[in-house]
Amino acid sequence: MPDAASSSPRGRAWRIAMRVIVPVVFAAALWYLFTEVVRFGYVVSSSMEPTLQVGDYYTLRVDAYDGNNSPQRGEIVVYSGPDGAPYVKRVIGLGGEMIEVWFGHVLVNGQRLREPYVTGVPVMEPPRRAYVPPGTVFVLGDNREMSEDSRDYGPVPVDRLMGRVTKIVWPRQRVRALKPTQY
């Protein structure tokens, strides 16, 4: 037998409100989370191997560069590429820096960058030098031989960054956080 409080008009209105309000608030919170904070992406090329492999699903923090936050060297970012498609690369140079690529090695302002994520034989390409203008970043793929990046189309404007890759979430055996490399 229902108690007096739950059978009163006020009790019934409260139960109905909770059945409607709670799901609506929950749905709104999920919508906000998956449109303004985090999204999921899928790796379609080998340009970031071995860090990210074809078939990996990752989380992308779309709020990573809001407000006072700016990209840092070593972070893996997604940006709108020259063809409008999302590209996944690592930030190597920041605005105001001079980047040099010499026979497979990267120098930032004349200092060689230690890159433990690059495996294999360095790409023996002709030397090149690029100034990174303020408001842009210089990006490279970890798999330099198979990457189209700032060596090909120059620095990327920060306003084209879609976010920072934070985790591999699938396949299960590759699940892990992706912390920026400390140089």
Side-chain angles (χ1 to χ4, degrees), residues 15-39:
R15 280 195 322 274
I16 291 170
M18 286 297 101
R19 288 182 180 166
V20 171
I21 292 172
V22 169
V24 167
V25 168
F26 182 73
L30 284 177
W31 177 82
Y32 177 78
L33 178 68
F34 291 117
T35 59
E36 302 298 325
V37 179
V38 67
R39 292 190 185 145

Side-chain angles (χ1 to χ4, degrees), residues 153-170:
Y153 47 76
V156 176
V158 171
D159 63 5
R160 286 193 13 217
L161 298 180
M162 299 162 79
R164 184 183 69 218
V165 176
T166 57
K167 287 183 180 179
I168 298 172
V169 295
W170 189 259

Side-chain angles (χ1 to χ4, degrees), residues 8 11 41 54-55 57 65 69 71 94 99 104 106 109 116-117 121 124 127 137 147 149 152 155 171 176:
S8 72
V54 173
Y57 284 85
Y65 305 120
N69 298 324
L94 306 172
I99 304 297
V106 175
N109 295 328
Y117 43 81
V121 178
M124 294 301 167
V137 291
S147 180
D149 46 41
D152 302 300
R176 65 186 167 102

